[in-house]
Amino acid sequence: MFKSIKTSFIALILVGSAIIAHAQKKISEGTLTYGLEYKLTDEQKSQMGGMEPPAELKVKFNNGLTKIEMEQGPALIGIISDNNEKTGLILVDVPVAQKQYAVKQSKEDVAKAMGELPKYSDFKATGEKQTIAGYNAEKYTFKDDKGAALELWATKDLDLPNVGAQNYFPGLNAFPVKYTMTQRGILTTTTLKAVSDAKVGAISIAVPAGYEETTMQALMSMGGGE
């Protein structure tokens, strides 16, 4: 069972930090829905233990805090991020084992994760356009810090200051609605599917009552082996 938790965390870590920062729309509260596609090697599929990574993620946001919820194997997983303070919290609930775990992410943890991402630059609009999630999007070309030529789709119809576009794609000056990133060795294409301004309620960075606080290393080691 704990091995299943561990493999589910592999899926979580693949996509989690690439999504968290993309949820601070000009409205104060709502939900962003993203579709996810993966290009997995045979080894990566084996590491997943037969489970499929999530094909869709909903990112709830409220006044600078975001929350992602997903189900993987026996575990219910939540990622909460305080985009203002640059801290986070990961929650794992395993109902069948009656276990609940919480992992705090400090500013240093978040900074380290961000520091591991490639650096992008030289964004250029191509003039090629299409509609994505109901918004007018344009294709942009850009380069990573190794000089590789890349492309993404972004829109200026959404005014989302201080979000993922600035964290991951500084200098883009548009909100990314479709892009491909290699995250911890996994090639993932993320596509915005919908934006909702419906109320989502308060989001808290505090460890909920009943959760055992632990470290990511301790949580991952619960698989006992691989």
Side-chain angles (χ1 to χ4, degrees):
M1 179 175 299
F2 286 110
K3 183 176 181 181
S4 295
I5 297 173
K6 184 173 178 180
T7 53
S8 69
F9 254 88
I10 293 175
L12 168 68
I13 294 170
L14 297 182
V15 300
S17 61
I19 300 294
I20 290 175
H22 288 255
Q24 205 173 13
K25 196 171 182 283
K26 196 170 186 179
I27 60 172
S28 63
E29 191 174 354
T31 303
L32 302 181
T33 301
Y34 289 96
L36 302 170
E37 296 179 77
Y38 311 87
K39 188 174 182 180
L40 300 174
T41 65
D42 290 340
E43 181 181 356
Q44 289 164 344
K45 290 177 183 178
S46 175
Q47 289 177 337
M48 291 298 299
M51 288 189 293
E52 293 291 331
E56 182 178 281
L57 282 182
K58 290 184 180 293
V59 183
K60 298 178 181 179
F61 60 98
N62 190 343
N63 291 317
L65 277 81
T66 67
K67 184 174 185 179
I68 299 170
E69 296 174 315
M70 68 179 75
E71 183 175 347
Q72 282 284 288
L76 303 174
I77 301 169
I79 309 172
I80 302 172
S81 178
D82 186 331
N83 295 325
N84 299 322
E85 297 296 325
K86 307 300 182 186
T87 58
L89 180 69
I90 295 176
L91 302 175
V92 180
D93 184 2
V94 192
V96 293
Q98 297 185 331
K99 296 288 186 180
Q100 295 176 308
Y101 300 98
V103 178
K104 288 183 176 180
Q105 294 182 303
S106 66
K107 287 184 178 181
E108 291 74 21
D109 295 330
V110 174
K112 181 180 178 182
M114 291 296 296
E116 292 173 354
L117 294 174
K119 302 299 184 290
Y120 302 115
S121 62
D122 198 22
F123 294 94
K124 294 179 181 177
T126 66
E128 185 177 347
K129 298 182 179 181
Q130 66 170 297
T131 300
I132 297 177
Y135 299 99
N136 297 312
E138 184 172 5
K139 181 188 287 187
Y140 289 75
T141 60
F142 62 104
K143 296 179 180 178
D144 66 13
D145 45 15
K146 295 181 181 178
L150 304 167
E151 61 184 40
L152 59 74
W153 291 85
T155 183
K156 293 188 176 181
D157 289 355
L158 288 169
D159 183 5
L160 303 175
N162 190 30
V163 291
Q166 294 180 20
N167 289 327
Y168 299 113
F169 306 112
L172 176 59
N173 296 321
F175 184 74
V177 291
K178 184 175 182 179
Y179 55 92
T180 299
M181 293 178 65
T182 298
Q183 183 95 5
R184 298 182 183 269
I186 303 295
L187 191 66
T188 306
T189 297
T190 302
T191 305
L192 182 68
K193 296 175 66 176
V195 180
S196 169
D197 60 1
K199 302 298 183 183
V200 299
I203 299 174
S204 174
I205 202 73
V207 175
Y211 279 75
E212 176 185 340
E213 192 172 332
T214 186
T215 64
M216 181 65 76
Q217 182 177 6
L219 192 65
M220 296 292 282
S221 69
M222 291 179 186
E226 347 178 27

